[in-house]
Amino acid sequence: MQGKTVIIDAHQHFWRIDRGDYSWMDDSVAAIRRDILPPDLAPLAATSGISGTIAVQAAPTLAETEFLLALADQTPLVRGVVGWVDLTGDVPAQLARLSHPLLKGIRPMLQDIAETDWVLRADVLAGLRAVAAAGLRMDVLITPRHFDVIDTLAHRLPQLPLILDHCAKPTFEDCDPGSDWRAGIAALAAHPQVSCKLSGLANEFGPGWSAQALRPVFDHVLQHFGPQRLMWGSDWPVLELEGRYPDWLTVAQHLAADLSQNARRSLFADTATRIYTLT
């Protein structure tokens, strides 16, 4: 692809409402409570110069993972899928059922589980060992309450690659994240198997988000993860609750404008390609 800028969107979603397992879709997300499928993303990707995407689960079911893998089979733009398995069940059997070259990882929806240390249960850890043994990764959907738990998880399972979604959802105060978030990011970045997605920040900040508003978060995750463990993602179509796809890409590119060409290439393509082993 010499001469062409490669951009990988490391985090986007599809859904079809009549599948019936999107329990989080209440009236607060009415604006995106409609079928959203590859033809809806195609023009946005073409306009923004997106070369490939990672489709990430939005429902905690095996059927959701099979749905995304079927879409990926029909959609060359989708280069990988992060699905879901029941980590308390027979994980090897589930992974055998889901066996597919485009399945790159799994994502338990930890932010929606009341028990903060659920992921450290013995049965869940056994499931995650099976995930790692299968050569897969775990996307980490958390808020700052989970920092200590994920730090412990990284110590116990150093063989499992962990990818923080949405910079672990910082809480903004006067455009600056709280100190607990800063300390938590620094602790997790100390584990070499942990990487981070520059995604979801428009939604976390809310109205008025901008490069200036998001700069403190960007600078902090860049400082601790470096561009080799930081990857850009749109979080589309959840992004549509607060903004537009091309605007978020433009803001992210503005944040990265002072980086070297190689560092920008890592942030917008190479990190995701390497960590998710995309072809």
Side-chain angles (χ1 to χ4, degrees):
M1 302 186 71
Q2 187 174 2
K4 180 179 179 181
T5 301
V6 176
I7 302 176
I8 300 295
D9 181 347
H11 198 102
Q12 54 87 197
H13 305 284
F14 297 120
W15 46 71
R16 195 177 68 229
I17 302 302
D18 66 7
R19 292 190 49 259
D21 51 5
Y22 306 106
S23 60
W24 57 274
M25 285 193 184
D26 57 21
D27 289 343
S28 69
V29 296
I32 57 172
R33 194 171 54 193
R34 64 186 190 279
D35 289 354
I36 294 177
L37 297 165
D40 301 298
L41 177 59
L44 295 172
T47 299
S48 299
I50 306 301
S51 305
T53 75
I54 301 289
V56 179
Q57 62 81 230
T61 64
L62 290 180
E64 163 80 345
T65 309
E66 291 171 327
F67 164 68
L68 292 178
L69 289 170
L71 290 181
D73 278 335
Q74 304 162 13
T75 311
L77 183 67
V78 177
R79 305 270 290 278
V81 167
V82 174
W84 180 93
V85 297
D86 178 4
L87 291 170
T88 68
D90 187 340
V91 172
Q94 294 172 77
L95 293 178
R97 168 179 164 180
L98 297 170
S99 180
H100 193 293
L102 292 182
L103 182 64
K104 301 299 182 178
I106 60 97
R107 184 174 81 152
M109 301 174 82
L110 298 182
Q111 70 172 11
D112 299 329
I113 297 173
E115 184 182 351
T116 300
D117 60 355
W118 174 88
V119 76
L120 298 180
R121 284 172 32 171
D123 53 351
V124 176
L125 288 172
L128 288 173
R129 290 189 185 96
V131 168
L136 300 174
R137 302 134 201 85
M138 174 180 161
D139 263 46
V140 180
L141 179 62
I142 61 168
T143 62
R145 70 182 168 100
H146 297 93
F147 277 135
D148 289 345
V149 170
I150 301 304
D151 184 52
T152 300
L153 176 65
H155 278 294
R156 292 188 184 179
L157 298 182
Q159 73 275 30
L160 177 65
L162 302 171
I163 300 109
L164 296 180
D165 290 350
H166 316 323
C167 299
K169 296 197 166 186
T171 299
F172 291 87
E173 294 180 7
D174 297 326
C175 304
D176 194 40
S179 59
D180 288 346
W181 176 83
R182 288 183 178 275
I185 287 292
L188 293 186
H191 298 279
Q193 86 266 34
V194 180
S195 55
C196 182
K197 289 183 181 177
L198 184 71
S199 61
L201 298 183
N203 295 81
E204 293 307 311
F205 189 89
W209 63 275
S210 64
Q212 180 180 0
L214 303 182
R215 171 67 67 181
V217 168
F218 174 77
D219 287 348
H220 192 66
V221 294
L222 179 67
Q223 174 189 350
H224 288 281
F225 287 100
Q228 291 75 30
R229 287 191 291 150
L230 190 62
M231 64 187 88
W232 176 80
S234 68
D235 197 27
W236 179 90
V238 179
L239 172 64
E240 290 189 354
L241 295 172
E242 290 295 344
R244 298 171 60 249
Y245 195 112
D247 294 339
W248 165 231
L249 177 57
T250 297
V251 162
Q253 290 171 326
H254 180 78
L255 289 168
D258 292 337
L259 301 182
S260 70
Q261 182 178 356
N262 285 342
R264 291 195 304 273
R265 186 182 300 119
S266 291
L267 174 62
F268 289 102
D270 290 355
T271 299
T273 299
R274 185 185 74 255
I275 287 176
Y276 282 112
T277 62
L278 307 182
T279 57

